[in-house]
Amino acid sequence: MNELKSHTRTRAQESTGAIEKLYITMRHLFNRGFYKPMGVSGESLRESLLTLRPEIYGSIKEDKIELQGLLYVMDRLPDGIEECRFINLTSDEGYKNSHFEPIIPLKRRRNCYRIDSEQMNIEITRGRSEIYDILTHLTFLFVESHKIMKQVLINENGEVIRDWKKLEQAVLKKGKLTQEEKEVALTHTANFLGRTFEEVKNVYPYFATEKNENRFLNIIYFLGKIAIQEIIEDNKRIITFSPVLRESLGHHIHGEKWAYQIKQILQEKGLLERPMHIISANMHSVMNSLYAPKALASEFLKKKPMQVFEALSISSNLKLREKVTKTALAEGMIFIEDQSGTNIDVQIIDTSKIKKSPYTSGLKDIEDLEKPIIIVMDYAFGEQAYETMDELLKPFVDNFKKRHFLNVVSVSIMGKAGILEGGKGDIMIPSAHVFEGTADNYPFKNKLEKSLFKDDDVKVCTGTMISVLGTSLQNRDVLKFFHNSTWNVIGLEMEGAHYQKAIQAASKIRRSISPKVKVRYAYYASDNPLETGSTLASGGLGTTGVKPTYLITEKMLKQILDTSKN
């Protein structure tokens, strides 16, 4: 019996196999150039996703429609994609210089273009991780659309149930729906979605946009309509990968342009030889920490620093934000808006020009030429982290073909991650990154330590972080295995192993930066995928993320600007 048991595959092993199969299949389809997601060519992807049953996609395997998963996916795909049969993944191929208006998804910075009523083009500039992300979301979307079709289609002649006809009337009606008409449509929709009226009514406003408050009804209708056409008329949806995208992927085309512009500006401003500290973070916490106490002196007198930072995190407080930005630009900050297609903006901060900050008080006895430069880069996405960091750490070859090695003293990475022991807002300090699906591991000496946060009333855990191929593919079984095994995994994210791979290559093999470069990694928890109702699909962090973000930023800046430690 024991012998038999030892050969039985656990759910974790099945899930790991499904993740592996998903990525092999996606690579194969990408090389092929096109596929039909609900046809024979998409079968392997669908089966793998249904075997995996990721937490983020909730009830994907049940007959009822998954509403939270649908909301998560639609926030990351372009508005109107549910109406399109042809989805074309392209490189940056010049659409920005055309009459097409870019459509930017709410939760993913990528340019998408509606070419006509049937076609949506999605620009891929962030490497393979972005393709995996989109294909996984589209597979989920189309699986859900066929679930709708099966609930509403009566026979092969295309006859549909009454509930469907009532939804169609509401969606195709010109003008605004009255409250009564809206609730009637939601009642009929709830019937075939397998959800209660209350569930449907509660989720409905989360899908709304400024232009279309009835977007939820629109999404359900067109998902179902195109799925019906696939079955009745054999009009299959098709996903294609443009020849230019297939040719350019993996060649660091965008990362190279991005890094060259940064180094060119550093040279123009006479900053190329200065000691440099690179921080991968958001575009506000470093700037606000250094400049807000001066720019908003009166606010800091009335409130605690964390309350001011919370106010700055609310997008409607535009005047407060503008004050800080104005001070920053006047005192040594250069903002580089991305032109390369990486979607990664950059701030270069010359600390010699900061007039008043508690962080820079220890620099007053140092010559200006020795004062550090801080390069803050916005978050990368998955494999893009390797591309951008690899290019940034390379020597700069200027217009006169002269090579300049950068004096990189430290690289600090702050990010959001899923936590496996704790909850939203907790902090994770990793000692190593392990790459999912492989035994590739990257241990390092992290200059940030748990003891630094002992007086900050925040929960901190230390251990291994796992860099996953995509957060939307994780399920409870895989995560429990990582958490309970000797890998001692405390959380999951998508970039750490890629960053560390680039840093180690530059410092230990290529020797383009000092082998003594210091590294700092810290993450704050955006969700706990092991807890029901606490996955990413359950909603954002809100202001819960403000405290850990600024605490991590504070520790990083203190170490960077403490001259006794550099």
Side-chain angles (χ1 to χ4, degrees):
M1 187 68 186
N2 285 346
E3 192 179 340
L4 180 70
K5 193 178 175 186
S6 67
H7 292 293
T8 308
R9 293 185 84 199
T10 63
R11 267 290 292 149
Q13 287 168 325
E14 274 179 15
S15 301
T16 304
I19 292 174
E20 210 169 316
K21 193 176 177 187
L22 267 162
Y23 283 97
I24 292 166
T25 306
M26 286 193 222
R27 283 203 170 198
H28 162 69
L29 295 172
F30 176 75
N31 291 332
R32 183 185 178 209
F34 74 96
Y35 79 103
K36 295 176 180 175
M38 297 312 287
V40 177
S41 50
E43 192 174 359
S44 183
L45 268 188
R46 298 196 308 271
E47 281 179 1
S48 298
L49 200 63
L50 290 169
T51 301
L52 190 57
R53 301 198 297 276
E55 296 303 306
I56 229 155
Y57 297 146
S59 56
I60 185 171
K61 208 164 183 180
E62 297 170 31
D63 288 338
K64 62 181 180 182
I65 305 303
E66 169 51 40
L67 296 177
Q68 290 300 331
L70 185 63
L71 178 61
Y72 178 85
V73 164
M74 294 312 291
D75 279 350
R76 286 154 180 81
L77 290 173
D79 199 12
I81 197 159
E82 70 279 0
E83 300 173 19
C84 299
R85 274 204 315 119
F86 301 96
I87 295 164
N88 192 11
L89 273 55
T90 72
S91 183
D92 179 358
E93 297 175 24
Y95 289 103
K96 62 176 173 280
N97 303 320
S98 68
H99 77 281
F100 297 114
E101 276 288 315
I103 305 167
I104 299 165
L106 184 67
K107 298 279 179 75
R108 284 279 186 270
R109 286 167 302 170
R110 54 171 75 108
N111 289 335
C112 310
Y113 300 92
R114 183 80 178 262
I115 304 303
D116 53 39
S117 63
E118 289 190 304
Q119 183 179 333
M120 181 73 76
N121 280 17
I122 301 176
E123 254 180 29
I124 305 291
T125 57
R126 297 173 145 207
R128 283 193 187 89
S129 297
E130 191 166 24
I131 294 173
Y132 298 154
D133 189 55
I134 290 166
L135 293 189
T136 313
H137 291 338
L138 289 174
T139 305
F140 163 78
L141 199 62
F142 299 156
V143 166
E144 294 295 302
S145 77
H146 272 240
K147 279 157 65 172
I148 297 170
M149 176 271 298
K150 283 172 186 167
Q151 298 296 331
V152 303
L153 196 59
I154 296 170
N155 57 33
E156 292 173 1
N157 300 326
E159 287 183 52
V160 290
I161 62 173
R162 177 172 173 269
D163 288 321
W164 180 255
K165 290 174 184 171
K166 293 292 182 184
L167 170 65
E168 186 171 53
Q169 279 174 16
V171 169
L172 300 182
K173 184 196 170 192
K174 287 187 168 64
K176 201 174 177 185
L177 292 179
T178 64
Q179 183 66 16
E180 186 185 343
E181 286 171 325
K182 185 175 81 178
E183 290 190 356
V184 168
L186 286 175
T187 302
H188 290 294
T189 305
N191 277 348
F192 63 77
L193 293 185
R195 295 286 182 176
T196 65
F197 173 73
E198 189 179 20
E199 283 177 305
V200 173
K201 191 181 179 184
N202 286 345
V203 82
Y204 166 86
Y206 290 102
F207 284 87
T209 61
E210 277 181 34
K211 291 180 183 172
N212 184 6
E213 67 168 343
N214 299 316
R215 182 167 167 250
F216 173 70
L217 298 176
N218 211 64
I219 289 166
I220 298 298
Y221 173 68
F222 280 101
L223 284 178
K225 183 185 176 184
I226 292 180
I228 291 167
Q229 287 172 351
E230 282 193 313
I231 297 303
I232 303 299
E233 301 165 27
D234 202 32
N235 263 345
K236 293 277 190 280
R237 281 174 276 215
I238 297 175
I239 294 175
T240 53
F241 307 93
S242 80
V244 178
L245 174 65
R246 286 155 65 204
E247 200 179 283
S248 63
L249 200 73
H251 292 302
H252 290 202
I253 290 164
H254 301 288
E256 194 175 353
K257 268 197 232 169
W258 174 82
Y260 184 80
Q261 187 189 10
I262 296 166
K263 293 170 199 172
Q264 201 174 32
I265 289 171
L266 285 168
Q267 188 182 44
E268 282 169 15
K269 304 290 182 185
L271 308 173
L272 202 56
E273 313 302 322
R274 299 262 291 275
M276 278 176 211
H277 298 266
I278 297 164
I279 302 177
S280 169
N282 49 66
M283 284 284 98
H284 55 81
S285 62
V286 175
M287 175 178 76
N288 289 345
S289 296
L290 289 172
Y291 297 104
K294 181 184 175 183
L296 307 173
S298 60
E299 280 82 357
F300 273 83
L301 280 174
K302 294 177 215 159
K303 296 176 183 171
K304 291 178 181 174
M306 213 54 80
Q307 290 174 314
V308 182
F309 294 140
E310 272 187 23
L312 283 165
S313 75
I314 299 163
S315 51
S316 55
N317 285 335
L318 204 60
K319 284 189 175 170
L320 283 185
R321 289 174 164 204
E322 282 172 353
K323 273 186 179 179
V324 180
T325 306
K326 192 177 173 186
T327 302
L329 292 170
E331 294 189 17
M333 189 183 89
I334 301 160
F335 177 67
I336 307 174
E337 191 171 359
D338 180 61
Q339 305 291 326
S340 68
T342 59
N343 276 311
I344 298 176
D345 294 334
V346 171
Q347 296 162 341
I348 297 172
I349 297 170
D350 179 354
T351 58
S352 69
K353 293 187 175 172
I354 298 173
K355 289 176 184 162
K356 189 184 176 187
S357 166
Y359 288 104
T360 53
S361 57
L363 300 177
K364 59 179 182 294
D365 299 327
I366 299 171
E367 290 287 321
D368 278 1
L369 289 175
E370 292 302 312
K371 285 179 182 172
I373 299 297
I374 299 172
I375 298 171
V376 185
M377 58 183 278
D378 210 343
Y379 297 123
F381 186 73
E383 284 188 22
Q384 189 193 32
Y386 175 74
E387 176 179 337
T388 48
M389 190 60 73
D390 185 55
E391 291 298 330
L392 186 57
L393 299 179
K394 282 179 183 175
F396 173 57
V397 180
D398 65 21
N399 294 335
F400 304 103
K401 303 294 179 217
K402 189 180 175 190
R403 179 183 276 203
H404 305 264
F405 287 89
L406 302 184
N407 179 11
V408 178
V409 181
S410 76
V411 181
S412 304
I413 313 293
M414 171 171 68
K416 269 192 299 196
I419 195 167
L420 301 184
E421 50 176 77
K424 288 186 179 186
D426 292 351
I427 291 174
M428 291 157 274
I429 306 285
S431 51
H433 289 289
V434 175
F435 199 54
E436 180 183 43
T438 70
D440 295 356
N441 53 82
Y442 301 89
F444 47 83
K445 173 75 182 105
N446 194 344
K447 297 302 285 184
L448 292 177
E449 294 169 355
K450 185 176 179 175
S451 59
L452 294 171
F453 298 89
K454 66 179 186 292
D455 301 324
D456 292 313
D457 187 31
V458 64
K459 191 183 170 193
V460 181
C461 53
T462 57
T464 308
M465 294 292 286
I466 185 148
S467 294
V468 296
L469 294 156
T471 50
S472 56
L473 286 182
Q474 304 312 305
N475 73 7
R476 198 161 298 197
D477 304 291
V478 174
L479 298 176
K480 274 184 179 166
F481 165 74
F482 285 134
H483 185 44
N484 299 333
S485 73
T486 50
W487 284 112
N488 183 28
V489 172
I490 54 167
L492 64 147
E493 50 79 59
M494 282 182 66
E495 293 80 30
H498 299 295
Y499 277 130
Q500 191 58 24
K501 186 163 63 168
I503 295 164
Q504 284 180 197
S507 61
K508 296 196 164 48
I509 300 170
R510 291 176 165 172
R511 298 289 171 130
S512 49
I513 63 170
S514 165
K516 291 180 179 174
V517 66
K518 293 170 180 154
V519 293
R520 299 178 191 89
Y521 287 92
Y523 300 91
Y524 56 93
S526 56
D527 64 306
N528 184 334
L530 286 178
E531 279 181 17
T532 305
S534 295
T535 66
L536 279 171
S538 67
L541 265 170
T543 54
T544 314
V546 173
K547 185 177 180 181
T549 300
Y550 280 90
L551 285 176
I552 293 167
T553 306
E554 176 196 310
K555 310 306 176 197
M556 285 179 170
L557 287 175
K558 277 184 175 172
Q559 286 192 351
I560 287 168
L561 299 171
D562 183 350
T563 49
S564 63
K565 290 181 182 175
N566 289 326

